[in-house]
Amino acid sequence: MFSPLRSLGLLVAALGLAPAAHAQTDLLGELEKQTTDSTRREVVSATFKGTHIINAQSVETPGAGTLAFLIQHRFGTLNSGAYEFFGLDQAVLRLSFEYGLTNRLAVGVGRTNIEKTFDGFVKYKALQQTTGAHALPVSVTLLASSAITTLKFNQAPNEPERSTGSRVDYAYQVLIARKFSPGLSGQLMPTLIHRNYVALAGRQNDVYALGAGLRQKLTKRLALTADYFYLLPGYVADNFHNALGVGVDIETGGHVFQLHLTNAKGMSEKFFVPQTTGNFFDGDIYFGFTVARNFTVKSQLK
């Protein structure tokens, strides 16, 4: 590319003013570097270390060709007493797989023993936070999930079997996150839960909530995480509690191990958003852990 300043520098060098030419070249190099730095646009990575915060999903996806295997485990409530060994005699488990079709698009399936429920989701990174020229201040990921219970219900003698459609719930979320610094990230989560079936009229087929999540890095391998879901006014908000979770992420090589405390027993959106019965501050706290392990199924290298 033609540069008047560079041409001037070459002319000076041709006239034998070597020291001046050398200084001119250094100056031109510095100017070009500053220009490049000012126009460079970089994607902000690792807003959250994993695809989940505590209860909520994060804006992250596994990445193209990567399979994530998650084990989510919760014991009973700590206030259940010594007879239940403070909750350790009870257990709730969810196993799931998440796969990155591309760096932006992921799908997942899971199964929990609560109501023998299977769930699946699609997750897409619509926007990614960037720095530099025309920086984008936030990342936005869209999430749509569904869950179906396969539990056998006790029914009256002449009552018909529950239809398949009545066993299905849906969740829709917009995950909006920002990495404020190398150590601090935050996320907002407008949420809609649609339930095809509720036992009585007025118990809300549609439940709205606003979630928030946080990650604060403490050391190179240790981070504090938290999430919270505020139920918008209605029957559910009047009769259930907002889900709150706090935890510690431990990075150990190829996987992330998390220890957490939460008042939500279920680990998919249909449970922890509209069906949290425990009060965190009354001691209805479930101690649990999550293990996430990633496997490269399809290498991106050619």
Side-chain angles (χ1 to χ4, degrees), residues 221-237:
R221 297 189 178 276
L222 205 65
L224 175 68
T225 54
D227 60 23
Y228 177 76
F229 280 85
Y230 172 75
L231 292 165
L232 272 62
Y235 176 88
V236 172

Side-chain angles (χ1 to χ4, degrees), residues 171-253:
Y172 306 97
Q173 291 184 299
V174 180
L175 312 177
I176 308 166
R178 176 173 172 81
K179 191 172 185 178
F180 295 98
S181 70
L184 177 63
S185 300
Q187 179 172 298
L188 291 176
M189 299 163 282
T191 301
L192 165 64
I193 305 294
H194 175 76
R195 305 182 290 182
N196 281 350
Y197 172 83
V198 290
L200 297 173
R203 291 196 176 182
Q204 286 185 267
N205 291 94
D206 292 327
V207 179
Y208 296 90
L210 178 62
L214 175 74
R215 178 178 185 264
Q216 174 62 61
K217 197 169 183 179
L218 303 176
T219 67
K220 184 178 180 180
R221 297 189 178 276
L222 205 65
L224 175 68
T225 54
D227 60 23
Y228 177 76
F229 280 85
Y230 172 75
L231 292 165
L232 272 62
Y235 176 88
V236 172
D238 293 338
N239 292 274
F240 293 87
H241 292 278
N242 298 325
L244 170 64
V246 293
V248 175
D249 285 355
I250 306 168
E251 299 176 36
T252 57

Side-chain angles (χ1 to χ4, degrees), residues 77-78 80-89:
T77 56
L78 297 181
S80 58
Y83 182 74
E84 296 293 339
F85 202 40
F86 303 98
L88 296 183
D89 284 349

Side-chain angles (χ1 to χ4, degrees), residues 57-214:
Q57 295 213 32
S58 74
V59 290
E60 305 296 341
T61 58
T66 299
L67 178 69
F69 175 53
L70 281 76
I71 302 173
Q72 296 169 277
H73 189 285
R74 283 178 193 167
F75 298 98
T77 56
L78 297 181
N79 63 0
S80 58
Y83 182 74
E84 296 293 339
F85 202 40
F86 303 98
L88 296 183
D89 284 349
Q90 305 165 23
V92 175
L93 178 68
R94 180 177 180 267
L95 303 176
S96 63
F97 291 93
E98 303 176 0
Y99 182 69
L101 298 173
T102 69
N103 285 329
R104 288 176 175 263
L105 180 63
V107 294
V109 293
R111 201 269 187 185
T112 180
N113 57 352
I114 302 179
E115 296 184 2
K116 303 186 185 297
T117 299
F118 292 86
D119 63 81
F121 70 84
V122 177
K123 195 175 184 182
Y124 177 68
K125 284 185 177 181
L127 298 173
Q128 292 180 280
Q129 182 182 347
T130 59
T131 60
H134 308 293
L136 189 63
V138 296
S139 295
V140 178
T141 296
L142 307 178
L143 175 70
S145 66
S146 61
I148 181 170
T149 175
T150 61
L151 186 70
K152 293 180 179 179
F153 294 98
N154 294 324
Q155 295 179 275
N158 297 322
E159 185 179 351
E161 173 67 20
R162 285 267 299 271
S163 67
T164 300
S166 70
R167 294 172 173 268
V168 180
D169 293 354
Y170 300 94
Y172 306 97
Q173 291 184 299
V174 180
L175 312 177
I176 308 166
R178 176 173 172 81
K179 191 172 185 178
F180 295 98
S181 70
L184 177 63
S185 300
Q187 179 172 298
L188 291 176
M189 299 163 282
T191 301
L192 165 64
I193 305 294
H194 175 76
R195 305 182 290 182
N196 281 350
Y197 172 83
V198 290
L200 297 173
R203 291 196 176 182
Q204 286 185 267
N205 291 94
D206 292 327
V207 179
Y208 296 90
L210 178 62
L214 175 74

